[in-house]
Amino acid sequence: MDQFEVGWRDAEGEHRRPLADVLSVEFEAGLPVRGFPSYRGQRNFPGLYWSATTGGHVGFESWLERDHAMLLDFTPEVTGLLSQPLWLFWKDERGKRISHAPDYFARFEDGRGLVVDCRPLDRIDSRSAAKFAATRAACEVVGWGYRVVGEVDAVRMVNVRWLAGYRHPRHGADEGLVARLLALFSAPSPLVPQAALLGDPIAVLPAVFHLLWLGRLAADLSRPLSDATLVSPAATR
């Protein structure tokens, strides 16, 4: 543990401490340690994703990072999320100083931390692999999870992007309609025909999609969403 130091930012300024001293730091509530460059002709696409989990924006510097921010936002157990959350500092076997800023830090409702790096798996060179290995070792020491994530299944991602369009609380229904929808889909039922039992699907479906986003209803997202998609009570995704 002594070989690693951690740097982070919050409303009080910048901090740098040994890894052993940061176990209680709420990185998900801090500020990004670096920004995203934007310049003419660049090949990646930086931007901001509005997170329903945090009620604020989460940065990304590629479509891949945006997709994984969205997937973390879509995970009901995630309660906090920050992009570029910290710097990790260490020395390699030759004594050279190395630093790495992971892409995301997520906090789960049981208190667990998760550090995420996004990179197409076929684009991980030896330098990146060494940084990822060191980051994993540091996370294991303090009990955080660590993932290096690549491309997501295309069908699942299209479905999650669709549901993300209904992530904002404005798409939520009153408790009476929510109760009726949960009762209506108490057994697996086709999406549109069942929603139509409560009125015009154009009016009812946004509430269904919002409940699917929240994880209070479930559907098989490995297949394209359609009128006939079976929607059922919440289950493990």
Side-chain angles (χ1 to χ4, degrees):
M1 187 181 294
D2 292 341
Q3 75 181 99
F4 295 106
E5 289 188 323
V6 178
W8 74 98
R9 294 177 63 229
D10 58 23
E12 297 180 355
E14 297 185 359
H15 312 272
R16 182 163 171 166
R17 299 284 187 277
L19 181 61
D21 295 343
V22 303
L23 300 184
S24 62
V25 174
E26 296 179 348
F27 291 101
E28 70 280 10
L31 298 170
V33 295
R34 70 176 184 87
F36 300 134
S38 180
Y39 52 89
R40 183 187 299 274
Q42 72 183 106
R43 299 178 62 183
N44 61 307
F45 299 92
L48 296 172
Y49 166 78
W50 186 84
S51 166
T53 298
T54 67
H57 287 101
V58 176
F60 61 85
E61 52 186 339
S62 69
W63 292 144
L64 180 65
E65 288 187 19
R66 180 206 57 186
D67 286 350
H68 283 286
M70 192 178 294
L71 288 170
L72 289 166
D73 197 31
F74 181 55
T75 303
E77 297 80 14
V78 170
T79 59
L81 178 62
L82 181 67
S83 63
Q84 308 298 312
L86 57 88
W87 283 108
L88 189 65
F89 303 99
W90 71 95
K91 293 181 181 179
D92 65 14
E93 64 278 1
R94 296 173 296 176
K96 180 181 178 181
R97 295 181 182 275
I98 308 293
S99 62
H100 176 56
D103 292 316
Y104 294 111
F105 184 93
R107 183 72 68 182
F108 286 74
E109 60 188 3
D110 62 3
R112 290 180 295 126
L114 173 67
V115 173
V116 178
D117 274 307
C118 305
R119 186 73 58 87
L121 301 185
D122 60 356
R123 291 177 52 195
I124 299 177
D125 57 19
S126 59
R127 182 169 174 268
S128 296
K131 286 191 173 187
F132 295 162
T135 302
R136 183 180 299 279
C139 289
E140 288 175 351
V141 166
V142 294
W144 296 335
Y146 179 66
R147 298 176 189 167
V148 178
V149 293
E151 300 292 342
V152 184
D153 175 76
V155 173
R156 175 176 173 79
M157 202 62 237
V158 166
N159 289 334
V160 173
R161 289 184 199 127
W162 175 264
L163 295 179
Y166 299 89
R167 68 190 183 279
H168 196 280
R170 67 173 174 266
H171 295 293
D174 63 72
E175 286 304 313
L177 178 55
V178 168
R180 293 195 296 275
L181 284 170
L182 294 177
L184 195 66
F185 290 102
S186 60
S189 306
L191 173 61
V192 173
Q194 197 76 344
L197 296 177
L198 287 184
D200 185 347
I202 293 178
V204 177
L205 284 173
V208 178
F209 292 140
H210 187 66
L211 291 174
L212 285 165
W213 172 266
L214 293 176
R216 300 184 69 180
L217 291 174
D220 180 4
L221 299 184
S222 68
R223 299 173 178 271
L225 286 172
S226 71
D227 291 4
T229 293
L230 295 180
V231 175
S232 59
T236 302
R237 288 176 176 152

